[in-house]
Amino acid sequence: MEHSFHLDNLAYGEQSSQQVLGACPHDCPDTCSIITTVNNGLAVKVQGNPHHPNTHGVLCNKVSKYTERTYHKDRILTPLKRVGAKGEGLFEPVSWEEALKDVANRLNALVATNPLAILPYSYGGTLGAVQGDSISERIFNYLGTSDLDRTICASAGAEGMTYTLGAKLGTKVEQFANSDLIIIWGSNSITSNLHFWRYAQEAKRKGAKLICIDPRKTETADKCHQHIAILPGTDAALALSIMHQLICNNDLDHDYIQNYTLGFEMLRQEAMAWSPEKAAVVCGITAQEIIALAQEYGTCFRNNKAAAIRLNYGMQRTKGGGNAVRAVLSLPALIGAWRHAAGGALLSSSSANVARSAALQRPDLAKVRRRVINMTTIGDDLLKESSEQWGPAIEAMIIFNSNPAAIAPESGKVVQGLARENLFTVVLEHFLTDTTDYADYVFPATTQLEHWDIHKAYGHTDVLLNKPAIAPLGQAKSNTEFFRLLAREMGLCQGALTEVFTESDESLCKTAFDGLIDWQVINTQGFVHSSLSDAPFAKGQFPTPSGKCEFYSERLAKQGISAIPSYIANYELPGSDHRYPLAMISPPARNFLNTTFVNVESLLAIEGEPYVEINQLDADKRGITQGDAVRLFNDRGSYICRAHLNHRARAGVVNALGIWWRKISLAGTNVNELTSQKLTDMGRAPVFYDCLVEIEKLTDAQFEALGQ
Ligand SMILES: Nc1nc2c(c(=O)[nH]1)N[C@H]1C(S)=C(S)[C@@H](COP(=O)(O)OP(=O)(O)OC[C@H]3O[C@@H](n4cnc5c(=O)[nH]c(N)nc54)[C@H](O)[C@@H]3O)O[C@H]1N2
Ligand SMILES: Nc1nc2c(c(=O)[nH]1)N[C@H]1C(S)=C(S)[C@@H](COP(=O)(O)OP(=O)(O)OC[C@H]3O[C@@H](n4cnc5c(=O)[nH]c(N)nc54)[C@H](O)[C@@H]3O)O[C@H]1N2
Ligand SMILES: [Mo]
């Protein structure tokens, strides 16, 4: 086997088989170290690496099915050229040479007129530094194409965090095992952060109290001591009201506040406007819940106990998402929780292991300023005509590591844009997704088992190496190999630039963390730890402009955004539109990873059919019973699914879990038919969970008429 590596120190499987060290590529905080067992060139098993502390030898249900996905009968194994109408998904196989030649010619023609008409679109299919945006960005920088603002997931929270703490850093995940109080806030850890959950359980066994704040009674909420079911988008009001109580009870670490924070007096004024009674109305909970929560948090200060908050991205997908994250991240400083290694808060740890993106992506190659297009508003932007202000209409898209037809908001507009006859679309993929249905060319991409990559993490602080375990299937090539070939075909490999556009994957892995990690160590054990200290903010040292935890942010003031964390009501506030009385959230499904894995039979079988969780009261009002086919709708579109009446939905809020493939669903729709392209207060991010809908029951005749 050309690409296999023997590990003498790991005795797994049969003696004749090989174990190859890899990394889970998925968009998940856990970034697990994986071991693939290869027999005669065939990957037969993937397991969690027992030597990697955060993986602890355990993989989630999805990724343990990795070989099922890799060897899936529907893998794309040759380049494909469209033969049907856009959206039909009809293709014929074509050779790599012919396809690349055509793509290179089409792109060169646009480069000659206006390279800004070309838009790369990539996101979280893999989080690898190499198969993500490396050679591709070198090319797009050099050509001066449009640039993608990668906002679809985390940028509101990331900005909120950076304005407050200075970087994406916080409590180390392994430290949660020692916390005395853990508030899991806007995160369904069992679904999306399983390896954190292990630490939380360890703490629970040692006596810690676990509290979950989430509009949905999640699997995680079931296992916490307490669940507070707030209305979506009201987290800042809750956090400010907790502050109100901390101030009234004088549960404040005055010394920490004095030395290591900025703007306390202004924050105090803001918080004093949020009595528990007032916040309770906004948040849809009781004042008593807020008082008790603040008491719990304040008691940790008084008793010198470690209070830790695991907030996650669930809370920042509404209009005030950035401010919500700022408000929640202000809490630990008020009680000096950062003094404890097991206290503080964690949203993202990704600043602890930053790759050398300039070396990978070479922004210095750009001769012109690239127009920036927000991936969240791709629906509107694909439908925009050329204009002096906006520049040329988008005429070509190169899509990889992403499935915009399904994941971007207001997907009715996205597919309308992708269906444009005068748009040239190239997609690199493993499968024929909702997006490839609109492609002119589809190129077969390798999976993580077939290529090199290197990964940082956003839920722990290690860096992981992924070595190819098996040869590429069929004619699949890695993203980087596609772009190396494209650069050559476009005539870009000239003189000194040749090296830039031909760097190998193994070399790119080294470039990514050159001088930052020990290659020898990562090459032999698959991971290295970064040097983030325990209790990084115990003595302040926040990497903000003031060096303090910035309750007050001068940088925000300059942008005309509230300089102190404040509550910003949802765009689509329950009660504001009598036609659409229900707030809808659409958090991840446990057995899918965004739209990845939806087509893996064993996982699809567990998830069943698309469904919406609805409270008994809301169902009764609409004559909806368990298992009914229902239509969720608003001005933007309709989504057909099944009604699940259960305890997980609170009154007034419905939970439509998972991003289903439109074509693996009911009536060719998914939840993003309903979501809007409006943007958050910070970070230009989507507001997936700020969405009002109405629901109606479908009669059997209506359901059948939809072709079901
Ligand atoms: N199994 C699985 N794991 C995943 C993913 C997946 O699709 N499936 N997706 C991955 C990706 S891309 C990401 S970004 C992360 C996401 O990670 P998280 O953001 O932690 O996502 P969830 O685990 O769903 O947790 C979000 C929770 O927030 C709740 N929520 C919704 N609105 C609000 C609100 O306004 N306030 C509060 N307090 N809670 C709210 C939801 O009900 C949900 O339970 O997970 C990653 N991991
Ligand atoms: N309603 C609603 N919408 C959401 C969300 C939500 O909670 N609710 N969550 C949002 C979030 S947090 C995110 S991060 C986005 C996710 O949006 P995306 O990043 O687009 O994630 P996926 O849908 O998983 O699509 C990734 C695609 O990349 C492909 N892929 C994987 N590895 C490779 C590779 O090595 N090469 C190539 N060429 N392709 C590869 C996979 O086959 C898959 O089709 O969705 C967002 N959309
Ligand atoms: Mo995400």
Side-chain angles (χ1 to χ4, degrees):
M1 269 290 308
E2 199 188 3
H3 284 309
S4 294
F5 298 83
H6 198 89
L7 278 175
D8 295 319
N9 58 338
L10 292 169
Y12 284 97
E14 302 158 27
Q15 280 203 321
S16 62
S17 68
Q18 294 169 296
Q19 275 84 38
V20 183
L21 279 171
C24 176
H26 289 297
D27 191 343
C28 167
D30 294 15
T31 309
C32 291
S33 174
I34 58 181
I35 297 171
T36 305
T37 305
V38 183
N39 284 345
N40 302 322
L42 213 64
V44 292
K45 188 161 67 173
V46 294
Q47 298 167 272
N49 183 352
H51 303 283
H52 180 238
N54 283 314
T55 305
H56 199 66
V58 178
L59 294 179
C60 67
N61 195 35
K62 309 177 290 300
V63 177
S64 24
K65 301 286 187 324
Y66 223 73
T67 54
E68 190 181 338
R69 185 174 188 276
T70 301
Y71 295 113
H72 195 293
K73 63 177 179 9
D74 298 338
R75 268 289 294 275
I76 305 168
L77 297 174
T78 66
L80 299 170
K81 183 178 181 169
R82 177 167 67 89
V83 291
K86 292 214 173 192
E88 273 183 355
L90 295 177
F91 299 98
E92 67 181 17
V94 53
S95 72
W96 268 93
E97 291 69 29
E98 189 188 328
L100 272 172
K101 199 173 191 164
D102 200 13
V103 172
N105 286 339
R106 296 286 298 259
L107 296 182
N108 270 337
L110 288 172
V111 170
T113 51
N114 196 339
L116 294 178
I118 303 171
L119 176 69
Y121 197 101
S122 62
Y123 202 68
T126 166
L127 293 193
V130 173
Q131 303 305 337
D133 304 295
S134 62
I135 298 281
S136 52
E137 272 307 292
R138 292 179 182 181
I139 295 175
F140 298 126
N141 274 320
Y142 179 71
L143 296 178
T145 66
S146 285
D147 191 6
L148 192 72
D149 196 4
R150 293 185 172 79
T151 56
I152 204 85
C153 172
S155 57
E159 286 205 4
M161 181 170 204
T162 308
Y163 285 122
T164 316
L165 305 181
K168 288 181 262 177
L169 289 176
T171 315
K172 281 172 103 169
V173 66
E174 48 271 40
Q175 286 294 338
F176 279 82
N178 304 319
S179 305
D180 299 299
L181 170 68
I182 301 179
I183 303 178
I184 299 178
W185 199 329
S187 168
N188 183 3
S189 318
I190 294 179
T191 279
S192 64
N193 196 186
L194 193 61
H195 295 76
F196 155 80
W197 181 246
R198 187 173 68 82
Y199 294 122
Q201 278 187 306
E202 194 179 326
K204 192 179 172 191
R205 280 195 297 274
K206 291 194 254 177
K209 179 158 186 186
L210 270 54
I211 301 175
C212 179
I213 304 174
D214 194 310
R216 176 171 184 257
K217 183 122 189 348
T218 59
E219 304 81 335
T220 308
D222 283 342
K223 296 201 160 61
C224 289
H225 296 98
Q226 192 189 345
H227 172 223
I228 300 177
I230 61 165
L231 287 169
T234 63
D235 301 275
L238 176 56
L240 286 163
S241 192
I242 295 172
M243 293 177 202
H244 176 281
Q245 290 305 99
L246 295 175
I247 293 164
C248 292
N249 300 336
N250 196 22
D251 283 336
L252 297 171
D253 186 333
H254 292 284
D255 181 62
Y256 195 94
I257 293 170
Q258 172 74 31
N259 289 309
Y260 306 133
T261 73
L262 186 71
F264 173 68
E265 188 44 40
M266 281 179 276
L267 182 67
R268 198 185 67 80
Q269 279 174 29
E270 184 73 29
M272 288 318 286
W274 284 96
S275 69
E277 291 70 26
K278 176 177 162 189
V281 174
V282 169
C283 300
I285 55 179
T286 64
Q288 196 45 45
E289 283 173 293
I290 301 174
I291 292 166
L293 179 60
Q295 189 74 28
E296 201 83 56
Y297 199 64
T299 302
C300 284
F301 166 65
R302 263 178 278 124
N303 296 343
N304 199 25
K305 301 272 189 195
I309 303 174
R310 178 53 165 126
L311 61 160
N312 216 331
Y313 290 110
M315 74 161 63
Q316 46 104 65
R317 305 198 201 289
T318 59
K319 183 179 180 187
N323 267 281
V325 165
R326 270 177 55 65
V328 174
L329 285 177
S330 296
L331 290 168
L334 292 175
I335 63 161
W338 294 114
R339 293 185 193 272
H340 302 264
L346 174 63
L347 171 57
S348 164
S349 57
S350 61
S351 298
N353 44 31
V354 181
R356 295 203 180 279
S357 64
L360 283 173
Q361 304 179 350
R362 300 293 305 271
D364 57 297
L365 294 172
K367 288 164 288 209
V368 292
R369 209 184 145 94
R370 298 172 66 187
R371 168 176 69 176
V372 177
I373 293 182
N374 189 340
M375 69 187 300
T376 300
T377 53
I378 191 64
D380 280 343
D381 291 342
L382 276 176
L383 296 172
K384 271 192 196 161
E385 309 266 331
S386 300
S387 71
E388 201 153 313
Q389 199 193 9
W390 152 254
I394 301 168
E395 289 183 59
M397 268 178 100
I398 317 293
I399 302 172
F400 58 107
N401 298 339
S402 188
N403 188 5
I407 61 93
E410 206 172 356
S411 44
K413 284 200 178 158
V414 181
V415 295
Q416 198 187 331
L418 288 172
R420 272 175 40 204
E421 277 309 322
N422 58 356
L423 178 73
F424 179 64
T425 305
V426 175
V427 184
L428 320 185
E429 251 301 347
H430 301 146
F431 295 105
L432 290 176
T433 62
D434 291 332
T435 300
T436 62
D437 282 352
Y438 294 86
D440 292 282
Y441 281 102
V442 184
F443 288 87
T446 45
T447 68
Q448 190 79 341
L449 300 188
E450 300 152 65
H451 57 225
W452 280 95
D453 217 330
I454 194 158
H455 291 253
K456 65 177 208 172
Y458 64 93
H460 61 71
T461 49
D462 305 335
V463 178
L464 281 76
L465 184 65
N466 183 75
K467 299 181 186 188
I470 55 171
L473 298 198
Q475 295 178 28
K477 294 187 193 299
S478 64
N479 294 339
T480 40
E481 183 63 7
F482 168 87
F483 285 109
R484 283 187 288 260
L485 293 171
L486 181 68
R488 198 180 65 191
E489 198 61 41
M490 289 180 78
L492 307 183
C493 293
Q494 287 175 15
L497 284 173
T498 307
E499 224 170 285
V500 173
F501 298 126
T502 56
E503 185 172 356
S504 75
D505 286 0
E506 188 176 350
S507 171
L508 286 163
C509 286
K510 291 180 183 155
T511 300
F513 289 91
D514 190 26
L516 300 172
I517 60 165
D518 187 329
W519 179 260
Q520 224 33 54
V521 174
I522 200 166
N523 196 34
T524 47
Q525 72 173 21
F527 61 91
V528 288
H529 299 297
S530 308
S531 54
L532 181 71
S533 61
D534 291 340
F537 305 134
K539 296 197 166 65
Q541 297 180 322
F542 292 93
T544 53
S546 64
K548 299 186 170 183
C549 173
E550 296 198 347
F551 303 142
Y552 172 82
S553 167
E554 184 69 32
R555 290 181 291 180
L556 285 172
K558 283 194 177 131
Q559 295 170 55
I561 299 175
S562 171
I564 287 288
S566 52
Y567 164 67
I568 297 174
N570 279 4
Y571 287 110
E572 302 190 5
L573 202 58
S576 64
D577 186 338
H578 68 277
R579 295 172 305 159
Y580 307 120
L582 296 168
M584 183 194 76
I585 57 172
S586 47
R590 184 166 179 185
N591 293 283
F592 302 150
L593 196 295
N594 301 317
T595 69
T596 305
F597 297 106
V598 175
N599 64 332
V600 173
E601 279 76 6
S602 62
L603 298 170
L604 181 59
I606 304 172
E607 291 294 333
E609 285 183 318
Y611 61 87
V612 62
E613 294 172 341
I614 181 167
N615 183 277
Q616 186 78 48
L617 285 172
D618 293 321
D620 287 348
K621 275 189 215 159
R622 295 163 179 81
I624 294 169
T625 56
Q626 186 70 13
D628 281 348
V630 292
R631 185 171 82 96
L632 282 69
F633 61 98
N634 58 23
D635 287 342
R636 291 176 288 269
S638 295
Y639 174 39
I640 314 296
C641 60
R642 298 277 173 192
H644 279 196
L645 277 63
N646 62 26
H647 72 292
R648 302 204 183 281
R650 56 161 288 161
V653 181
V654 293
N655 316 316
L657 269 69
I659 319 176
W660 290 72
W661 289 22
R662 295 159 64 87
K663 58 188 174 187
I664 305 181
S665 68
L666 305 177
T669 56
N670 81 6
V671 73
N672 281 321
E673 290 277 326
L674 303 167
T675 52
S676 83
Q677 295 181 69
K678 296 183 190 113
L679 302 177
T680 48
D681 53 350
M682 290 170 211
R684 309 160 306 285
V687 294
F688 289 117
Y689 306 164
D690 182 343
C691 179
L692 287 180
V693 299
E694 178 53 295
I695 304 191
E696 66 180 16
K697 177 185 166 121
L698 294 178
T699 61
D700 289 349
Q702 284 170 323
F703 190 54
E704 271 157 33
L706 292 167
Q708 298 303 318

